[in-house]
């Protein structure tokens, strides 16, 4: 009786048909032998097509593991997983495309990278790999693919602004507003089981304001802290407090010279420096500092201490701990969290939940 190879050879396709013996898979050792036999046949950057019509019991599960393993180590591309449904009642048995199962794994893992660590690169790469061909073929008319692609592009833009501490961009909320609008429009994805996963991503943006708001900076500092971007969190937090005081005293938050006045005012209060010892560059600076000294916030000892703390942490980071008494990593993290909660409580009368 002719076998599969005989049938394939009869088609006279211009390809090499190679047979490979595999174990029965009755023991754990034989199962791993099957895994290694298939894996060793795969070359770097291969395009993979699998048919699992006659795959025995656990083999489809083993195959999915093998595919993910090969994607990571050999940078392969999965093109197709098919299953011939010979149990169907139809006269002509249908061939089912199960590739979406592996695609769901890829999207789930990429979404997990964002939710757990704030990494959006995997989601962006998947958009290029999976969505761009769909959009090209449909000339951008596939609504689900188009909405998902737009959402991920904006998500990457917003995350990049957090990672690179783009304060003005964060406070202005232009990209955040676009992202939240895209999130609201994202009612379905290309794979239905992805919908709850992307609902979680959308919820991670809930505490950002769509309008220009200084509070977005403290929200960004919280997002960075939750995603272990501690240096960014400290940097954004210190500059946020300075910007907050700027707004209270009619100072443009982009005015670098006058921002230094605020840092000087905090330092004067913290160290209790007499006016005769102030090192002002000009009379304008002296008068502005005097004005700030009457601000209730600079009279709040807790706020002054917190600002001094976050400044020390930021300097410790920026100087790579190259100082006489560098903080230990665990102290840096706990101090940043203390500052984050303290600033939020004092300036907004809100408690932040950092358990996300």
């Amino acid at each position: 009786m002719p076998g599969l190879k005989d049938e394939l050879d009869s088609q006279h396709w211009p390809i090499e048909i190679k047979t490979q013996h595999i174990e029965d898979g009755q023991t754990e050792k034989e199962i791993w032998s099957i895994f290694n036999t298939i894996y060793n046949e795969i070359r770097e950057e291969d395009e993979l097509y699998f048919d699992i019509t006659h795959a025995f019991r656990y083999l489809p599960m083993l195959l999915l593991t093998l595919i993910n393993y090969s994607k990571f180590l050999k940078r392969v591309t999965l093109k197709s997983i098919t299953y011939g449904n010979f149990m169907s009642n139809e006269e002509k048995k249908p061939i089912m495309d199960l590739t979406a199962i592996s695609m769901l794994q890829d999207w789930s893992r990429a979404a997990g990278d964002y939710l757990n660590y704030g990494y959006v690169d995997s989601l962006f790469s998947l958009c290029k790999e999976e969505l761009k061909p769909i959009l090209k073929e449909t000339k951008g008319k596939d609504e689900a693919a188009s909405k998902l692609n737009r959402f991920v592009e904006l998500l990457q833009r917003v995350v990049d602004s957090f990672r690179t501490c783009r304060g003005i961009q964060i406070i202005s909320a232009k990209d955040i507003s676009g992202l939240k609008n895209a999130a609201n429009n994202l009612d379905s994805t290309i794979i239905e089981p992805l919908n709850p996963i992307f609902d979680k991503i959308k919820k991670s943006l809930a505490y950002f304001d769509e309008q220009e708001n200084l509070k977005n900076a403290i929200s960004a500092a919280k997002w960075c802290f939750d995603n272990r971007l501690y240096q960014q969190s400290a940097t954004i937090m210190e500059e946020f407090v300075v910007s907050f005081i700027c707004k209270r005293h009619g100072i443009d938050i982009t005015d670098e010279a006058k921002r230094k006045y605020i840092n000087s005012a905090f330092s004067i209060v913290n160290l209790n420096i007499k006016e005769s010892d102030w090192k002002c560059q000009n009379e304008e600076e002296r008068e502005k500092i005097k004005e700030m000294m009457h601000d209730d916030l600079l009279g709040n000892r807790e706020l002054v201490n917190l600002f001094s703390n976050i400044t020390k942490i930021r300097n410790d980071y920026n100087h790579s701990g190259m100082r006489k008494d560098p903080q230990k990593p665990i102290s840096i993290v706990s101090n940043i969290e203390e500052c984050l909660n303290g600033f939020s409580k004092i300036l907004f009368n809100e408690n932040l939940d950092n358990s996300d």
Side-chain angles (χ1 to χ4, degrees), residues 69-336:
Y69 187 76
S70 302
K71 284 178 180 177
F72 178 68
L73 288 179
K74 295 190 175 181
R75 302 189 302 279
V76 302
T77 302
L78 176 67
K79 302 299 287 188
S80 174
I81 302 176
T82 53
Y83 172 73
N85 187 4
F86 58 89
M87 299 296 291
S88 169
N89 293 325
E90 299 178 34
E91 182 177 348
K92 189 173 182 179
K93 308 304 180 186
I95 295 177
M96 302 174 65
D97 185 354
L98 304 180
T99 314
I101 295 175
S102 179
M103 191 188 302
L104 175 61
Q105 287 185 319
D106 292 339
W107 282 98
S108 299
R109 183 169 56 252
D113 283 348
Y114 169 75
L115 290 169
N116 294 322
Y117 312 110
Y119 299 152
V120 75
D121 297 13
S122 297
L123 281 171
F124 190 75
S125 295
L126 275 174
C127 278
K128 291 175 65 177
E129 294 170 13
E130 306 291 349
L131 301 184
K132 293 297 173 67
I134 296 174
L135 293 171
K136 184 177 180 180
E137 183 179 342
T138 62
K139 297 182 178 179
K141 293 182 179 179
D142 187 302
E143 192 171 348
S146 180
K147 287 180 177 180
L148 181 56
N149 186 62
R150 175 66 175 163
F151 174 77
V152 173
E153 284 183 345
L154 286 168
L155 181 64
Q156 184 182 51
R157 192 181 303 173
V158 168
V159 168
D160 283 347
S161 72
F162 297 163
R163 289 180 173 276
T164 56
C165 303
R166 301 299 87 195
I168 296 173
Q169 190 174 337
I170 293 167
I171 292 168
S172 71
K174 182 178 179 181
D175 289 334
I176 291 171
S177 175
L179 176 59
K180 295 192 83 168
N181 286 335
N184 291 334
N185 290 330
L186 189 65
D187 46 10
S188 64
T189 59
I190 55 174
I191 307 174
E192 187 173 342
L194 273 176
N195 295 339
I197 294 173
F198 273 85
D199 283 342
K200 291 200 71 172
I201 294 178
K202 288 189 278 187
K203 287 178 182 177
S204 73
L205 309 169
Y207 47 81
F208 286 97
D209 196 329
E210 295 176 41
Q211 305 300 318
E212 181 172 345
N213 193 336
L214 274 172
K215 192 176 178 182
N216 279 333
I218 201 74
S219 296
K222 169 182 162 44
W223 185 95
C224 289
F225 181 87
D226 290 342
N227 289 287
R228 300 170 180 81
L229 298 173
Y230 301 122
Q231 185 172 14
Q232 287 92 329
S233 183
T235 300
I236 292 171
M237 215 184 313
E238 183 188 11
E239 297 299 334
F240 152 73
V241 175
V242 174
S243 298
F244 194 93
I245 302 296
C246 279
K247 287 288 187 180
R248 286 171 66 90
H249 292 269
I251 297 173
D252 184 342
I253 63 171
T254 65
D255 190 325
E256 294 182 43
K258 291 181 181 178
R259 290 179 71 88
K260 292 178 182 178
Y261 298 174
I262 296 169
N263 283 283
S264 296
F266 269 110
S267 182
I268 288 169
V269 174
N270 184 50
L271 300 175
N272 195 25
I273 301 173
K274 295 184 298 183
E275 183 177 350
S276 59
D277 294 329
W278 293 0
K279 296 179 180 179
C280 299
Q281 299 297 316
N282 50 55
E283 192 59 31
E284 179 190 31
E285 180 179 356
R286 183 176 297 276
E287 291 303 316
K288 204 65 180 177
I289 290 176
K290 283 182 180 180
E291 176 189 322
M292 292 174 194
M293 300 293 279
H294 293 92
D295 190 319
D296 290 343
L297 287 180
L298 271 82
N300 185 317
R301 191 68 229 182
E302 183 183 359
L303 179 69
V304 172
N305 288 341
L306 288 169
F307 188 80
S308 175
N309 193 10
I310 202 65
T311 300
K312 288 176 182 176
I313 292 170
R314 182 180 177 183
N315 288 337
D316 201 344
Y317 254 123
N318 290 346
H319 294 283
S320 196
M322 297 297 183
R323 43 189 56 211
K324 290 182 180 180
D325 190 24
Q327 295 190 45
K328 295 180 180 179
I330 191 170
S331 297
I332 289 176
V333 174
S334 62
N335 283 332
I336 292 174

